[in-house]
């Protein structure tokens, strides 16, 4: 990442945390891989996330300002691996290597199933964000063209209102967990080829709570969470395509230990209908013209998504020819301008002719040196040619 984090978010070096978060939300909405068509959208989004992670953390931001971008990112890489033997890690860790308590313990926790990052482990009941939820929404082409506000209904986990997410009635008797003595964690000593290793994990009896209750909540059964139906209003941006997702922050599953809710991801399916075909921001449509219009040329009206427009059909137009109406397609998502509308002309031959029309066509054929069958062969040949 050679690009300065402040430049990535488009903020000044003295920007407040709120300004940084606001800039992050704006950049993330524009460059998220689910909505951006740019080839480098995923890499760009990672840079945006990294910039926000560093600049909204007071300690990391201070180190970043002091060290500069290149030195900080190099230290970050070293810190991610725990530093050298007995040496200090980077700006995101404590001591690393064999001489440091943090890095060595983390390694053994990975190998021997330590619970340092589980519920109640590694320093008590740390808040954890809830998981993201997913649902789908189908809209028509007009809504995708104009943008709209739609409602989506889903059944999702939510904090139990009866016990406020505690999992037990307010008047339930409480006692300190005898297995962990209220710490929420238990310790084990294991013999390894490198010696005796002390492992800390979540207490299995109280699940890290440190306390036991005489009864569970009757509505949620002690989970603190129930499933409820929710109806939400979602803003559909103009130009959205099938398969793209919208993110509604903090509308997902409840967090743990006071942590924030997860997000809700809504995958959009655009029903194009029978008239149009869609190719990215471009639309395609078939338009019928009569035989005289194709021969002599004419101006015809073509129905687009937002009304009719005039299109010139040049004299001598052949059936199957395609004409481009620039800027008459779909809006470009979160960008200026619109795609194009491609109109494929189909020359329509009438099913029947009156005597005057038949005579005129026969004279037309004879003038061109065609050998026609007055009994209908020419007319059938004309229809089959289109």
């Amino acid at each position: 990442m050679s690009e300065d984090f402040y430049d990535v978010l488009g903020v000044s070096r003295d920007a407040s945390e709120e300004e940084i978060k606001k800039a992050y939300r704006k950049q993330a909405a524009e460059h998220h891989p689910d909505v951006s068509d740019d080839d480098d959208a995923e890499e760009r989004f990672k840079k945006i996330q990294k910039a926000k992670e560093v600049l909204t953390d007071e300690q990391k931001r201070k180190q970043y300002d002091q060290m500069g971008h290149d030195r900080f990112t190099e230290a970050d890489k070293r810190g991610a691996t725990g530093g050298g033997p007995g040496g200090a890690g980077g700006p995101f860790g404590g001591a690393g290597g064999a001489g440091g308590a943090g890095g060595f313990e983390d390694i053994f926790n990975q190998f021997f199933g330590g619970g340092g990052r589980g519920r109640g482990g590694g320093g008590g009941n740390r808040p954890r964000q809830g998981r993201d939820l997913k649902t789908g929404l189908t809209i028509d082409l007009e809504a995708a063209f104009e943008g709209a506000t739609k409602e989506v209904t889903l059944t999702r986990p939510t904090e139990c209102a009866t016990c406020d997410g505690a999992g037990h009635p307010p008047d339930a008797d409480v006692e300190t967990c005898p297995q962990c003595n209220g710490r929420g964690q238990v310790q084990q000593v294991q013999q390894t080829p490198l010696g005796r290793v002390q492992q800390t994990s979540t207490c299995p009896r109280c699940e890290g709570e440190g306390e036991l209750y005489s009864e569970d909540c009757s509505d949620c059964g002690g989970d603190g969470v129930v499933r409820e139906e929710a109806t939400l209003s979602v803003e559909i941006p103009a130009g959205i395509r099938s398969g793209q997702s919208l993110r509604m922050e903090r509308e997902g599953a409840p967090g743990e230990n006071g942590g924030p809710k997860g997000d809700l991801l809504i995958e959009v399916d655009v029903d194009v209908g029978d008239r149009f075909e869609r190719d990215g921001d471009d639309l395609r449509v078939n338009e019928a013209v009569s035989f005289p219009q194709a021969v002599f040329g004419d101006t015809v009206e073509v129905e687009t998504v937002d009304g009719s427009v005039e299109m010139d059909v040049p004299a001598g137009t052949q059936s199957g020819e395609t004409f481009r109406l620039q800027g008459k397609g779909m809006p470009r998502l979160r960008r200026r301008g619109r795609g194009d509308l491609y109109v494929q002309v189909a020359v329509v031959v009438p099913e029947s002719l009156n005597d005057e029309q038949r005579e005129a066509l026969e004279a037309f054929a004879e003038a061109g040196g065609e050998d026609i069958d007055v009994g209908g062969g020419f007319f059938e040949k004309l229809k089959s040619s289109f």
Side-chain angles (χ1 to χ4, degrees):
M1 292 189 186
S2 59
E3 193 173 354
D4 182 271
F5 289 155
Y6 291 99
D7 292 339
V8 169
L9 296 180
V11 297
S12 63
R13 303 191 77 83
D14 58 353
S16 66
E17 182 175 341
E18 185 58 35
E19 289 173 328
I20 291 171
K21 290 181 178 179
K22 183 178 179 180
Y24 165 76
R25 289 192 293 269
K26 180 181 178 181
Q27 294 281 353
E30 181 178 351
H31 296 286
H32 194 284
D34 290 337
V35 298
S36 176
D37 298 324
D38 295 339
D39 294 337
D40 63 344
E42 185 172 354
E43 182 63 28
R44 180 70 180 174
F45 187 65
K46 288 179 181 178
K47 290 183 179 181
I48 294 167
Q49 286 184 306
K50 187 65 176 179
K52 182 251 188 183
E53 174 193 329
V54 172
L55 298 184
T56 55
D57 184 294
E58 184 177 354
Q59 182 179 356
K60 294 177 186 177
R61 183 177 180 180
K62 184 177 180 181
Q63 292 171 332
Y64 182 77
D65 291 340
Q66 291 175 343
M67 301 172 68
H69 183 82
D70 293 337
R71 289 180 58 198
F72 180 88
T73 50
E74 284 300 318
D76 178 13
K77 294 176 183 177
R78 293 196 301 270
T81 59
F92 303 112
F104 204 57
E105 181 179 353
D106 287 344
I107 292 172
F108 277 102
N109 280 339
Q110 292 177 28
F111 277 101
F112 299 108
R117 300 193 184 277
R119 182 184 178 192
N125 298 338
R126 294 184 296 180
R128 289 199 297 172
Q129 181 172 324
R131 61 186 176 88
D132 293 343
L133 303 178
K134 293 183 179 181
T135 190
L137 176 65
T138 300
I139 61 173
D140 58 26
L141 187 64
E142 287 72 19
F145 178 85
E146 297 174 357
T149 300
K150 296 290 184 179
E151 289 189 341
V152 59
T153 300
L154 71 157
T155 300
R156 62 178 178 178
T158 187
E159 187 178 271
C160 177
T162 304
C163 64
D164 292 329
H168 56 81
D171 57 354
D173 294 333
V174 58
E175 65 171 320
T176 301
C177 176
Q179 186 164 345
C180 66
N181 293 323
R183 292 190 298 270
Q185 299 173 325
V186 292
Q187 293 181 337
Q188 294 176 282
V189 176
Q190 294 186 357
Q191 188 69 37
T192 74
L194 299 179
R196 292 164 61 86
V197 175
Q198 181 173 283
Q199 175 193 1
T200 301
S201 60
T202 301
C203 176
R205 184 166 181 180
C206 67
E207 296 183 335
E209 295 291 334
E211 297 175 329
L212 299 174
Y213 299 90
S214 59
E215 58 180 309
D216 292 333
C217 173
S218 58
D219 285 348
C220 66
D223 292 335
V225 174
V226 294
R227 296 186 65 82
E228 290 184 347
E229 185 177 275
T231 299
L232 306 171
S233 293
V234 55
E235 295 294 329
I236 307 295
I240 195 166
R241 305 179 190 175
S242 289
Q244 294 182 320
S245 294
L246 302 172
R247 180 180 294 270
M248 297 187 71
E249 293 186 351
R250 303 296 180 257
E251 293 292 353
E256 294 184 15
N257 305 320
K261 292 182 180 179
D263 298 337
L264 175 63
L265 299 176
I266 304 171
E267 184 172 321
V268 176
D269 178 52
V270 180
D271 183 2
V272 178
D274 298 329
R275 175 168 172 75
F276 297 100
E277 292 182 6
R278 186 174 183 182
D279 181 12
D281 296 325
D282 298 331
L283 293 175
R284 297 183 180 275
V285 68
N286 294 324
E287 190 70 26
V289 297
S290 68
F291 177 63
Q293 284 177 314
V295 173
F296 298 112
D298 196 5
T299 298
V300 299
E301 283 197 350
V302 178
E303 288 293 328
T304 70
V305 184
D306 61 337
S308 60
V309 296
E310 291 186 341
M311 183 185 78
D312 291 331
V313 178
T317 293
Q318 303 297 307
S319 189
E321 279 194 60
T322 299
F323 299 92
R324 174 191 177 198
L325 299 182
Q326 190 171 2
K328 296 301 180 181
M330 296 294 290
R332 303 188 191 281
L333 183 64
R334 296 191 175 90
R335 290 183 290 167
R336 294 181 180 178
R338 289 168 54 176
D340 301 327
L341 176 63
Y342 291 88
V343 183
Q344 186 176 50
V345 170
V347 179
V348 178
V349 177
E351 292 294 329
S352 61
L353 297 174
N354 59 34
D355 292 342
E356 186 178 355
Q357 290 171 327
R358 179 177 291 274
E359 290 175 3
L361 277 177
E362 289 172 356
F364 170 80
E366 290 176 355
E370 294 187 50
D371 183 16
I372 64 170
D373 180 358
V374 178
F378 169 71
F379 186 56
E380 295 302 321
K381 185 187 300 182
L382 181 65
K383 289 200 295 183
S384 66
S385 69
F386 293 107

